[in-house]
Amino acid sequence: MSSSTTSPKNNTGASHSWVGRFFLKAAIFMAGLGLCGVLLGSLALALAWPNLPDLGAMIDYRPRVPLRIYTADKVLIGEFGEERRNVLRFNEIPDVMKSAILSAEDDRFYQHGGIDWAGVVRATLANLTHMSKTQGASTITMQVARNFYLSSEKTYTRKFYELLLTFKIEATLTKDQILDLYMNQIYLGHRSYGFAAASRAYFGKPLGEVTPAEAAMLAGIPKAPSRFNPIANFDRAKSRQGYVLGRMKSLGYLTEEEYQRAMQQEIVIKSALGTPAGGYSVHGEYVAELARQLLYGVYQDNIYSRGFNVYTTVNSQAQEHAYDAVRDGILDYTRRSVYPGPETTLDLPAGIENDPAQLDTLLDELQEKYADNGDVLTGVVLDASPTKITVARTSKEIIEVTDKRALRVVARGLAKNANDSVRIRRGSVVYLHKNGSYWEVINMPSVQAAFVALRPEDGAIQSMVGGFNFQEGKFNRVTQAWRQPGSAFKPFIYASSLERGLTPATQISDEPFTLTAAQTGSKPWSPKNYGRTYEPMLTMRQGLYKSKNMVSIRIMQAVGPKYVQDYLTRFGFDRERQPPVLPLALGAGSVTPLQLAGAYSVFANGGYRVPPYLIDHVTDSSGKVIMQAKPTIAGDAAARAVDPRTVYVMNDMMRGVATSGTGARVHRELKRNDVGGKTGTTNDSHDAWFAGFTPKLVGVVWMGYDQPRSLGSSETGGGASMPIWLDYMRHALKGKPETPPGPIPPGLTKIDGEYYFSEFPPGQAVARVGLPSPSDTPVDGGGRDNIGDLLNQLTGNTGQRREQPPDVPF
């Protein structure tokens, strides 16, 4: 019987052989797998690399710079675009800002090749230790790649492209170029892109002036712009700033003393003028918006990212004076009006003034519905009596209104028997305004006004204010409000008559005037003089001085409505908005304040039609001029619109209006002899106007309600609008020498103190309109007193009167 056994030695050898084969196979498998990975990676790289974006846009960096609007003297008044930027070159960015950025974001930026592998390991260990993502390893180069070309979606494909693009950027650009792009491109909250824009948005200063403490706070924002910016969350921003300052000290950018000083510095948040939060130093909102609209008509949506700079014709100081004048004029009118009562009345909890947090919360909520409007401020009444109103703006700002002048304005709301709708009492929501040295309670104005000033030499707009508050609506009443001009239109009617044979000495009836229903084809028309006062007869000059309606109507009736309509187009008025009917003599057509200012410019500049314009020139982001205005200049023969003799006579008469007529206050206050003008008030005082000019400047003011209604029976152009014009002109004309009248034009003579055209000398000019002749013959009967016969003689027409102007040489 036999038996066999396996020796331990053989078992050990077999075991070793199996293990060896396993590792060999594993090694071969891993090598194959690695080779496949390399092949797949190479394939992916070969496919992806050519599809990476061209870096030309980085090398030739053109960020999305917003449209900016400036005054003629280069003061920023508007900015349009989603991104706010102030691009700086690398050497213009202060070293303290660079060191803060490197400390906060990528301290090994100048050592690694785009990916900081040491940082990756450090972040991985930290995240594993805390079992959450507490650190990131994104470098500045990776952030640049992401910001310029890639989306923020969290996918492996995007991450792969980010790594590839990072390597490409590092291979193409220098480190300084990459850092430069980052500092100008990164988003930092509040629509600010780049650290230069952020410095203005948060600290109100250029980036070159930031301290280490401020630089550290800015450098901390990129981690979470919406949470770490100091306006949104100051405490978080302050905490992040402390971290960045600590990193700056540990990396050697700050000494211990500098670090301590930076930690102790008080950070003042103050947005610069010209930023979304800081507003602008000049109230040119209506100007900026109109300039934007004009440029949009040329370039469409491209204007918001190409860095265009629009330089308007507006003067910054003059514009601010115009804004103040309009606001003051509207507030003055509001004080004269009947006080309508508080905005609303709250059930104010007892003792809330002793709980600052509760009071401030209530006032903050009020601001959302009844917001401050410039210097007109929201408040809630804590106590009210006929001698004092106590108003809370905040828990720390309690204002007492005690001035008798202020209390008189709201007296009907303080009376013991006041109606509940107007009573001012505890809980009433009111508006406060600092009127000189004292506070007043005033209701938010509902009336509107508009002002525009032009340079008559070329039509350049010097100032423009389209309403009380641009934020309530962008409706620009200077350019968009078509209103009846009232008596401010009369000078154009008078001018037309001078070229038809009337003179300033022509005697015109001021007696009441009536047209029957048969004559009008509709209903009877019986216009009235202001104040319902009439005189038997006035000269044309006197009629203009006193703004007599009957005189204007008879002038237009004599000249012919159709001729007047045609004549008005010489001044730039729209024919279809000036119907050829007798009420046109009283300003029953429609004009905008800008159109009326352009028309008065024809008088101011000697008879030339110069269309108004606002944009002087436009530059691109590099400063190259891409648009340049070419305005019409007064003196160009092709722009001649009106006989210079007519202009000379009308200027003389309108200077008389401003000296001894309805505008006599102008001469009393300005004490100048080169100012002409005309008041205007429409039926029931729906519109109040004043148009005035010197040979160097034209200004027009309108006041009224957007939905036409009476301003009040006692309100006129002289009382409501002229004060606004005067407030502006006091500043605009200060120190400017008077311009004396020029020489009398050829073909015009002065006889017995009055002016006559050579073709209409005394004895041949129209002597009377609407009055019986010296022989008691009615005006229709013939003779030199009859304008119809005179025109027949001039034109050779012995039949029906011609409605076109006679062929009178200019």
Side-chain angles (χ1 to χ4, degrees), residues 663-686:
R665 181 180 172 185
V666 170
H667 187 268
R668 288 199 307 270
E669 296 199 15
L670 297 183
K671 295 179 172 54
R672 296 177 66 103
N673 297 310
D674 61 344
V675 180
K678 185 70 185 72
T679 56
T681 311
T682 62
N683 281 347
D684 298 322
S685 298
H686 283 186

Side-chain angles (χ1 to χ4, degrees), residues 173-188:
L173 305 179
T174 67
K175 286 289 187 179
D176 285 353
Q177 286 177 312
I178 297 170
L179 186 57
D180 183 8
L181 291 171
Y182 176 83
M183 291 186 293
N184 280 301
Q185 174 72 9
I186 194 72
Y187 177 62
L188 295 165

Side-chain angles (χ1 to χ4, degrees), residues 559-749:
V559 173
K562 183 61 171 63
Y563 171 68
V564 171
Q565 184 192 43
D566 292 338
Y567 188 82
L568 292 173
T569 61
R570 303 185 189 185
F571 295 89
F573 292 117
D574 296 341
R575 182 189 302 271
E576 62 274 13
R577 292 184 182 270
Q578 313 302 332
V581 293
L582 290 182
L584 184 62
L586 308 183
S590 297
V591 302
T592 65
L594 180 61
Q595 193 179 62
L596 192 63
Y600 269 87
S601 292
V602 178
F603 289 133
N605 66 25
Y608 298 91
R609 172 81 179 107
V610 290
Y613 72 104
L614 179 65
I615 296 177
D616 181 77
H617 66 281
V618 179
T619 67
D620 61 16
S621 58
S622 67
K624 179 182 177 182
V625 176
I626 58 174
M627 290 179 64
Q628 178 68 59
K630 296 180 180 179
T632 302
I633 306 297
D636 182 351
R640 167 65 70 186
V642 179
D643 190 321
R645 300 173 301 174
T646 300
V647 172
Y648 193 92
V649 174
M650 289 306 306
N651 283 347
D652 181 75
M653 287 202 292
M654 281 191 281
R655 285 195 296 270
V657 172
T659 301
S660 56
T662 56
R665 181 180 172 185
V666 170
H667 187 268
R668 288 199 307 270
E669 296 199 15
L670 297 183
K671 295 179 172 54
R672 296 177 66 103
N673 297 310
D674 61 344
V675 180
K678 185 70 185 72
T679 56
T681 311
T682 62
N683 281 347
D684 298 322
S685 298
H686 283 186
D687 302 273
W689 296 82
F690 185 75
F693 62 93
T694 72
K696 304 295 184 182
L697 188 64
V698 174
V700 168
V701 182
W702 166 84
M703 182 180 286
Y705 290 97
D706 285 338
Q707 299 300 319
R709 60 187 174 94
S710 178
L711 291 166
S713 59
S714 62
E715 296 292 341
T716 64
S721 293
M722 187 192 297
I724 297 175
W725 188 91
L726 283 169
D727 282 351
Y728 177 83
M729 289 296 175
R730 284 190 196 97
H731 297 283
L733 300 178
K734 186 177 181 179
K736 303 292 176 63
E738 287 189 19
T739 304
I744 296 178
L748 182 68
T749 57

Side-chain angles (χ1 to χ4, degrees), residues 11 64 119 201 299 411 414 507 573 664 767-768:
N11 289 337
R64 292 172 58 86
Y299 292 100
L414 299 172
Q507 296 179 349
F573 292 117
R768 293 174 176 80

Side-chain angles (χ1 to χ4, degrees), residues 331 339 341-344 366-381 389 391 393 401 410 424 428-434 439-445 472:
L331 290 174
Y339 179 64
E343 296 294 328
T344 189
L366 277 181
Q367 276 289 336
E368 295 182 8
K369 188 173 182 180
Y370 305 101
D372 293 348
N373 186 324
D375 55 357
V376 181
L377 312 173
T378 308
V380 65
V381 175
I389 308 172
V391 184
R393 280 274 298 149
V401 178
V410 296
I424 299 174
S428 293
V429 177
V430 298
Y431 286 100
L432 292 163
H433 176 256
K434 191 69 174 292
W439 285 96
E440 63 182 348
V441 169
I442 193 166
N443 61 298
M444 183 62 69
E472 290 182 348

Side-chain angles (χ1 to χ4, degrees), residues 90-105:
F90 184 79
N91 60 2
E92 294 176 318
I93 297 175
D95 290 339
V96 68
M97 190 70 250
K98 296 171 186 173
S99 61
I101 293 168
L102 294 175
S103 300
E105 294 294 320

Side-chain angles (χ1 to χ4, degrees), residues 5 23 104 154 166 224 234 283 340 498 555 573 605 627 723:
T5 61
F23 279 106
K154 296 180 179 180
T166 297
F234 184 81
H283 291 89
L498 294 176
I555 288 175
F573 292 117
N605 66 25
M627 290 179 64

